[in-house]
Amino acid sequence: MIVSFVQTKGGTGKSTLALNLAFSNVMQKAFESIALIEFDPQGTLRDWWQAREENHWQTKKVSFHHISSTQKEVVQDGIKSINLHNELLIVDTPGESTGKLHTKIACAISDLVVIPTRSSTNEELALSNKLLPILKEIIKINAHKQGGFYVLPAFVNSRSSKDKIIQYFEDILPSYVECMGSVYPMRSVYENFNREGMALQEYIKSVEKNRRVFQQASKAVSDVEEIAKNILERLNNRQV
Ligand SMILES: Nc1ncnc2c1ncn2[C@@H]1O[C@H](COP(=O)(O)OP(=O)(O)O)[C@@H](O)[C@H]1O
Ligand SMILES: [Mg+2]
C-alpha cells in the first residue's frame, strides 16, 4: 500500500504529517513494516532522520528512504524494491518549486493521495491550477485511480467547526477529488517537537511533566491518530 502527501504549495504540513503518520499508533498496529520515503531533494525528512539517529530514537518498524531522482524509471524501481520489504509506504513530496515531476509520479503510483490544503485563496488557486490538472490526467489514463484523491483541510483553527470546513471543501472540489472526513488543526507544539528527530508520539513522553505543553501535545496526537484512522479505512476500502 502506498500513501502520498502531495501539494504543489509548500508549507502545508506534508512532511510533518508524513513522519507522524509513520509513527502513529494506528499505523504501527496495522502494519508490520513502514517505509517513510522522501522525494524532496531539499531533504527535510533526511535531516530529521539523521537527527533521529544521532539522538538514538527507537525506530523498530519504520525505515527511511530518500529518493530524489526525477527519472520516472529510477523512482519506480526504487519504490518497487522498497515495496518488497514493507507493508506500508508513506511518500512525502516537495512543493512545486523543487519538483512537479515528483508530484506527478507520487500521484500515479499511490493507492491513496492526501492533499493537505489551507482554506486560503492562494492555496485553493494552487490546487485548482496546478494539482487538479495532474490528477485529471492520471484518471484519464487510469480510471481506477478515481476515488484515491483526498484533500485534508490543513492548519485549521482548532476552535472552528470541523463539519463546516469539510462542507466548504466538498462544495469547491470537483467530482474526482473528495474531502477527508478529518481535518489537520493548527497547533503550537509543531514548532518544537521535531527539532531533535522526534515524532509526536515521542515528544509527548518527553513533556509529561509540563501539564500545559503535555495537553497541547495530546491534542496534536489525537488529531494525527484520527487522520491515520481515516486514511487506514480508505486504504482498506480501496483494497477490496
Ligand atoms: N498542524 C500544524 N500546526 C502548526 N504548525 C505546523 C503544523 N504542521 C506543521 N507545522 C509547521 O509548519 C511548517 C511547514 O510544515 P511542513 O510539514 O514542513 O510542510 P511542507 O512539507 O508541506 O512544506 C513547519 O515549520 C512545521 O513545523
Ligand atoms: Mg516538506
Side-chain angles (χ1 to χ4, degrees):
M1 299 261 98
I2 307 180
V3 179
S4 283
F5 287 91
V6 159
Q7 168 58 278
T8 52
K9 194 90 179 44
T12 64
K14 296 180 287 294
S15 304
T16 306
L17 279 162
L19 78 89
N20 284 309
L21 183 70
F23 285 88
S24 68
N25 286 329
V26 168
M27 292 307 177
Q28 294 265 324
K29 255 185 225 149
F31 299 98
E32 275 312 307
S33 45
I34 300 169
L36 180 60
I37 305 166
E38 177 175 54
F39 279 4
D40 193 342
Q42 283 179 339
T44 316
L45 288 187
R46 188 182 47 199
D47 295 346
W48 167 80
W49 189 263
Q50 201 180 338
R52 205 177 158 74
E53 289 184 329
E54 282 163 8
N55 289 296
H56 306 290
W57 288 105
Q58 282 269 345
T59 49
K60 282 185 203 148
K61 292 186 174 181
V62 183
S63 60
F64 177 73
H65 313 260
H66 188 250
I67 304 179
S68 60
S69 171
T70 46
Q71 279 180 283
K72 206 171 169 193
E73 294 73 25
V74 176
V75 179
Q76 276 171 337
D77 286 350
I79 292 289
K80 227 184 248 169
S81 79
I82 296 169
N83 212 359
L84 286 176
H85 304 105
N86 292 278
E87 292 181 357
L88 177 68
L89 277 59
I90 299 172
V91 179
D92 177 32
T93 65
E96 194 193 36
S97 56
T98 24
K100 198 167 170 182
L101 265 170
H102 290 111
T103 301
K104 281 189 182 171
I105 297 172
C107 290
I109 60 169
S110 298
D111 299 287
L112 199 87
V113 175
V114 182
I115 310 160
T117 309
R118 290 180 226 229
S119 59
S120 78
T121 320
N122 247 347
E123 288 191 18
E124 287 163 25
L125 276 177
L127 180 72
S128 57
N129 295 339
K130 311 251 166 78
L131 193 54
L132 294 185
I134 295 175
L135 305 187
K136 221 171 168 177
E137 195 59 29
I138 290 170
I139 292 170
K140 213 160 84 188
I141 306 166
N142 240 322
H144 77 274
K145 289 281 175 191
Q146 180 129 18
F149 302 122
Y150 288 91
V151 162
L152 173 65
F155 292 74
V156 169
N157 183 319
S158 55
R159 264 166 292 192
S160 45
S161 149
K162 176 180 135 183
D163 292 343
K164 264 194 193 151
I165 287 158
I166 293 174
Q167 188 60 50
Y168 171 80
F169 274 102
E170 274 172 358
D171 288 345
I172 62 166
L173 289 170
S175 60
Y176 52 91
V177 184
E178 283 172 57
C179 187
M180 205 110 231
S182 36
V183 299
Y184 181 49
M186 178 127 69
R187 305 269 181 211
S188 55
V189 287
Y190 289 98
E191 285 164 22
N192 303 316
F193 84 90
N194 61 0
R195 296 217 182 113
E196 289 154 42
M198 279 186 259
L200 266 176
Q201 292 289 2
E202 293 148 345
Y203 177 70
I204 194 169
K205 288 191 193 117
S206 76
V207 294
E208 257 166 1
K209 292 204 179 82
N210 184 334
R211 223 177 106 216
R212 195 185 59 80
V213 181
F214 181 76
Q215 275 176 350
Q216 276 284 321
S218 310
K219 285 180 189 161
V221 167
S222 6
D223 298 338
V224 170
E225 295 295 345
E226 199 197 314
I227 294 167
K229 216 164 81 188
N230 231 300
I231 291 175
L232 185 63
E233 268 168 28
R234 284 169 164 76
L235 274 178
N236 289 338
N237 289 342
R238 284 187 69 71
Q239 212 170 12
V240 287

Short mmCIF file of all heavy atoms in Angstrom, two decimals, residues 9-17 44 92 155 184-187 190-191 194, ligand 1:
data_model
loop_
_atom_site.label_atom_id
_atom_site.label_comp_id
_atom_site.label_asym_id
_atom_site.label_seq_id
_atom_site.Cartn_x
_atom_site.Cartn_y
_atom_site.Cartn_z
N LYS A 9 1.86 23.54 -3.37
CA LYS A 9 2.18 24.65 -2.49
C LYS A 9 3.03 24.14 -1.33
O LYS A 9 2.72 23.10 -0.76
CB LYS A 9 0.86 25.22 -1.97
CG LYS A 9 0.95 26.57 -1.33
CD LYS A 9 0.75 27.67 -2.36
CE LYS A 9 0.81 29.04 -1.71
NZ LYS A 9 1.87 29.27 -0.74
N GLY A 10 4.10 24.85 -1.01
CA GLY A 10 4.95 24.43 0.11
C GLY A 10 4.36 24.84 1.45
O GLY A 10 3.47 25.69 1.51
N GLY A 11 4.86 24.25 2.52
CA GLY A 11 4.47 24.64 3.87
C GLY A 11 3.04 24.35 4.25
O GLY A 11 2.40 25.10 4.98
N THR A 12 2.50 23.24 3.76
CA THR A 12 1.12 22.90 4.13
C THR A 12 1.07 21.71 5.11
O THR A 12 0.00 21.20 5.39
CB THR A 12 0.25 22.58 2.90
OG1 THR A 12 0.76 21.40 2.26
CG2 THR A 12 0.24 23.72 1.90
N GLY A 13 2.24 21.27 5.58
CA GLY A 13 2.27 20.21 6.59
C GLY A 13 2.54 18.81 6.05
O GLY A 13 2.45 17.84 6.80
N LYS A 14 2.92 18.70 4.79
CA LYS A 14 3.15 17.37 4.18
C LYS A 14 4.18 16.55 4.96
O LYS A 14 3.91 15.40 5.34
CB LYS A 14 3.64 17.51 2.73
CG LYS A 14 2.65 18.14 1.79
CD LYS A 14 3.21 18.23 0.38
CE LYS A 14 4.29 19.29 0.20
NZ LYS A 14 3.83 20.68 0.37
N SER A 15 5.37 17.15 5.15
CA SER A 15 6.45 16.38 5.79
C SER A 15 6.09 16.05 7.24
O SER A 15 6.33 14.92 7.70
CB SER A 15 7.76 17.19 5.76
OG SER A 15 8.07 17.52 4.42
N THR A 16 5.52 17.00 7.94
CA THR A 16 5.13 16.78 9.33
C THR A 16 4.10 15.65 9.43
O THR A 16 4.20 14.76 10.27
CB THR A 16 4.54 18.08 9.92
OG1 THR A 16 5.48 19.14 9.72
CG2 THR A 16 4.25 17.95 11.39
N LEU A 17 3.12 15.69 8.56
CA LEU A 17 2.08 14.66 8.55
C LEU A 17 2.67 13.30 8.20
O LEU A 17 2.34 12.29 8.82
CB LEU A 17 0.98 15.02 7.55
CG LEU A 17 -0.06 16.03 8.04
CD1 LEU A 17 -0.81 16.65 6.86
CD2 LEU A 17 -1.05 15.34 8.97
N THR A 44 14.22 17.65 3.90
CA THR A 44 13.71 18.00 5.24
C THR A 44 13.68 16.76 6.13
O THR A 44 14.15 16.77 7.26
CB THR A 44 12.26 18.54 5.13
OG1 THR A 44 12.19 19.46 4.06
CG2 THR A 44 11.80 19.18 6.42
N ASP A 92 6.55 11.39 1.00
CA ASP A 92 6.48 12.84 1.19
C ASP A 92 7.05 13.50 -0.07
O ASP A 92 8.12 13.14 -0.55
CB ASP A 92 7.31 13.23 2.42
CG ASP A 92 7.35 14.74 2.63
OD1 ASP A 92 6.35 15.41 2.29
OD2 ASP A 92 8.38 15.24 3.12
N PHE A 155 -4.05 23.23 8.77
CA PHE A 155 -3.85 24.44 9.57
C PHE A 155 -5.19 25.08 9.93
O PHE A 155 -5.35 26.28 9.88
CB PHE A 155 -2.94 25.44 8.84
CG PHE A 155 -1.52 24.96 8.72
CD1 PHE A 155 -1.18 23.96 7.81
CD2 PHE A 155 -0.51 25.48 9.51
CE1 PHE A 155 0.12 23.50 7.70
CE2 PHE A 155 0.81 25.02 9.41
CZ PHE A 155 1.11 24.03 8.51
N TYR A 184 -6.78 18.77 9.81
CA TYR A 184 -5.46 18.86 10.44
C TYR A 184 -5.35 20.24 11.11
O TYR A 184 -5.04 21.23 10.43
CB TYR A 184 -4.40 18.68 9.36
CG TYR A 184 -2.97 18.73 9.84
CD1 TYR A 184 -2.56 17.98 10.94
CD2 TYR A 184 -2.02 19.51 9.20
CE1 TYR A 184 -1.24 18.02 11.37
CE2 TYR A 184 -0.70 19.55 9.61
CZ TYR A 184 -0.32 18.80 10.70
OH TYR A 184 0.98 18.83 11.14
N PRO A 185 -5.65 20.31 12.41
CA PRO A 185 -5.68 21.61 13.08
C PRO A 185 -4.29 22.21 13.28
O PRO A 185 -3.29 21.50 13.35
CB PRO A 185 -6.33 21.32 14.43
CG PRO A 185 -6.94 19.98 14.30
CD PRO A 185 -6.10 19.24 13.31
N MET A 186 -4.27 23.52 13.42
CA MET A 186 -3.04 24.25 13.72
C MET A 186 -2.75 24.07 15.21
O MET A 186 -3.64 24.25 16.05
CB MET A 186 -3.31 25.73 13.41
CG MET A 186 -2.18 26.63 13.69
SD MET A 186 -1.82 27.61 12.26
CE MET A 186 -3.23 28.67 12.18
N ARG A 187 -1.52 23.72 15.54
CA ARG A 187 -1.14 23.53 16.96
C ARG A 187 0.26 24.05 17.18
O ARG A 187 1.17 23.78 16.37
CB ARG A 187 -1.12 22.03 17.32
CG ARG A 187 -2.39 21.28 17.05
CD ARG A 187 -3.31 21.28 18.26
NE ARG A 187 -4.52 20.53 17.97
CZ ARG A 187 -5.70 20.80 18.51
NH1 ARG A 187 -5.81 21.82 19.34
NH2 ARG A 187 -6.74 20.07 18.23
N TYR A 190 3.92 22.00 17.12
CA TYR A 190 4.70 21.64 15.93
C TYR A 190 5.96 22.48 15.77
O TYR A 190 6.84 22.15 15.00
CB TYR A 190 3.84 21.72 14.67
CG TYR A 190 2.82 20.61 14.64
CD1 TYR A 190 1.51 20.82 15.06
CD2 TYR A 190 3.18 19.33 14.23
CE1 TYR A 190 0.58 19.79 15.06
CE2 TYR A 190 2.26 18.30 14.23
CZ TYR A 190 0.97 18.53 14.64
OH TYR A 190 0.07 17.51 14.65
N GLU A 191 6.02 23.59 16.53
CA GLU A 191 7.24 24.41 16.47
C GLU A 191 8.41 23.72 17.15
O GLU A 191 9.56 24.01 16.86
CB GLU A 191 6.99 25.75 17.18
CG GLU A 191 6.14 26.69 16.35
CD GLU A 191 5.59 27.82 17.19
OE1 GLU A 191 6.16 28.12 18.25
OE2 GLU A 191 4.55 28.38 16.77
N ASN A 194 9.89 18.43 16.49
CA ASN A 194 10.67 17.69 15.51
C ASN A 194 12.14 18.13 15.40
O ASN A 194 12.86 17.66 14.56
CB ASN A 194 10.00 17.69 14.15
CG ASN A 194 9.82 19.07 13.60
OD1 ASN A 194 10.21 20.04 14.24
ND2 ASN A 194 9.26 19.18 12.42
N1 LIG B 1 -0.63 21.44 12.42
C1 LIG B 1 0.34 22.36 12.44
N2 LIG B 1 0.18 23.49 13.16
C2 LIG B 1 1.15 24.43 13.18
N3 LIG B 1 2.30 24.35 12.52
C3 LIG B 1 2.53 23.24 11.79
C4 LIG B 1 1.57 22.19 11.70
N4 LIG B 1 2.07 21.22 10.90
C5 LIG B 1 3.27 21.63 10.50
N5 LIG B 1 3.56 22.84 11.02
C6 LIG B 1 4.77 23.65 10.79
O1 LIG B 1 4.63 24.28 9.51
C7 LIG B 1 5.86 24.30 8.80
C8 LIG B 1 5.70 23.60 7.44
O2 LIG B 1 5.42 22.23 7.67
P1 LIG B 1 5.98 21.11 6.68
O3 LIG B 1 5.49 19.81 7.22
O4 LIG B 1 7.45 21.25 6.52
O5 LIG B 1 5.22 21.48 5.34
P2 LIG B 1 5.53 21.01 3.83
O6 LIG B 1 6.24 19.70 3.92
O7 LIG B 1 4.19 20.91 3.20
O8 LIG B 1 6.37 22.09 3.22
C9 LIG B 1 6.87 23.64 9.72
O9 LIG B 1 7.56 24.65 10.40
C10 LIG B 1 6.03 22.81 10.68
O10 LIG B 1 6.67 22.65 11.93
#
